[in-house]
Amino acid sequence: MARLLPPTLQILRRRCASRSHFSTAPSPVSPPSKAVLYDEHGAPDQVLRVADVPPVHLGDRDVCVRMLAAPINPSDINRIEGVYPVRPPLPGAVGGYEGVGQVHALGPAVTAPLSPGDWVIPSPPSFGTWQTYIVKHESVWHKVRSDVPMEYAATVTVNPLTALRMLQDFVKLNPGDAIVQNGATSIVGQSVIQLAKVHGIHTINIIRDRPGSEEAKDKLKQLGADEVFMESQLDMKNVKNLLGALPEPALGFNCVGGNAASLLLKFLRQGGTMVTYGGMSKRPVTVPTSYFIFKDISLRGFWLQRWMNSDKAEDCRTMIDYLLGLVHEGKLKYEMELIPFGKLSLALEKALGKHGSQPKQVMRF
């Protein structure tokens, strides 16, 4: 007859057996994935390929995310071309930098308040969002609300956050003040208009002369723009006569360069600041000497990635929640096109401007 153990030892044996069983259990594995890869820098339509990626074992604190949507940003194209300052290592780089996904599986020791089905974004953003499943450490993922359109959750970081930071980081603006910007039809530009309106700031906006300019002007006005001028309207000495009752702007945002930057500078008041965050025209910013001497103009630059790398992760997440709250309230919106992942080639063509002016392309996985 087997000898019975005292009750305390029986409990201890059961606990040890349970722990032994837990320690030998296989770690969760991600499903097979499809990813947009490149092994060398070059034109996206020449170097990108869609490939199958094998399943990945999750570490103890890893989270497997099924991607829902990810945009094609100009900076994504620049990384693929090899002209962006920070790029993923080659070969085998996965495209994409921001996006939204749904928690699929959790490692056994994850402590973050995440559950399968939650919507998450990489925050700060990280390389490799153009794939169907991603496995990364829990610290990468930030849970976001799921009661907004997925394309907004996918695009909230790079462009709207840039707009918010520029409005807050350079000049103290008070309700009733004004800013001026070029590239106003961009998502950053549209976000600036709406965020400024929320805080009682007036916006003066400059857009290019092109077919559809009048329609674009009307759309910006509907978003809350106070004034919208085409570049050809500003070919005059004293553009400030166009402002009417609006104050001279203390702050300007330049994403174009060249002549568009020069037109923006005309509006700035004494001691004003122009912040450059892009150079779409690929032309230099040229400033008359008199602007420095007699107007004391300041020129600054803004790069979101540098800001996010300066111990701002928690601030970044708080601001993303704020921005998605505005989306939910209908106070922040911009034009995008959701396009199936299977139509990657078409989405890239549109993002590269091969089909004329197009809204932001967002891939749906």
Side-chain angles (χ1 to χ4, degrees), residues 3-25:
R3 186 165 60 91
L4 293 175
L5 292 172
T8 303
L9 289 179
Q10 290 181 37
I11 293 170
L12 206 55
R13 173 180 280 183
R14 285 197 296 270
R15 285 181 179 172
C16 289
S18 173
R19 287 176 184 169
S20 174
H21 174 74
F22 177 78
S23 64
T24 58

Side-chain angles (χ1 to χ4, degrees), residues 229 236-245 248 267:
F229 300 110
M236 60 176 66
K237 186 173 182 180
N238 193 356
V239 297
K240 293 174 184 177
N241 290 332
L242 300 172
L243 294 182
E248 292 179 294
F267 282 100

Side-chain angles (χ1 to χ4, degrees), residues 114-244:
L114 296 174
S115 302
D118 287 344
W119 279 21
V120 291
I121 64 171
S123 179
S126 59
F127 301 129
T129 57
W130 294 357
Q131 55 186 318
T132 52
Y133 287 90
I134 302 177
V135 174
K136 291 194 176 183
H137 191 271
E138 62 177 318
S139 61
V140 169
W141 303 107
H142 173 52
K143 181 180 175 179
V144 296
R145 62 194 306 158
S146 58
D147 57 356
V148 296
M150 71 171 67
E151 58 268 36
Y152 282 94
T155 59
V156 69
T157 303
V158 171
N159 292 303
L161 189 55
T162 291
L164 182 62
R165 291 309 335 140
M166 292 195 302
L167 282 166
Q168 294 184 352
D169 285 358
F170 295 94
V171 173
K172 179 174 173 50
L173 296 170
N174 298 308
D177 287 344
I179 66 98
V180 58
Q181 65 170 344
N182 57 34
T185 57
S186 68
I187 290 186
V188 173
Q190 294 176 61
S191 299
V192 164
I193 290 169
Q194 294 167 90
L195 293 173
K197 181 181 178 182
V198 167
H199 293 93
I201 308 298
H202 301 291
T203 59
I204 300 148
N205 304 274
I206 304 170
I207 63 175
R208 289 180 295 163
D209 292 84
R210 61 182 180 186
S213 290
E214 285 296 334
E215 181 183 355
K217 181 177 179 178
D218 290 341
K219 286 182 177 179
L220 295 181
K221 287 274 195 175
Q222 290 170 13
L223 293 179
D226 291 274
E227 293 289 352
V228 183
F229 300 110
M230 285 170 272
E231 292 181 3
S232 61
Q233 292 179 266
L234 305 179
D235 187 17
M236 60 176 66
K237 186 173 182 180
N238 193 356
V239 297
K240 293 174 184 177
N241 290 332
L242 300 172
L243 294 182

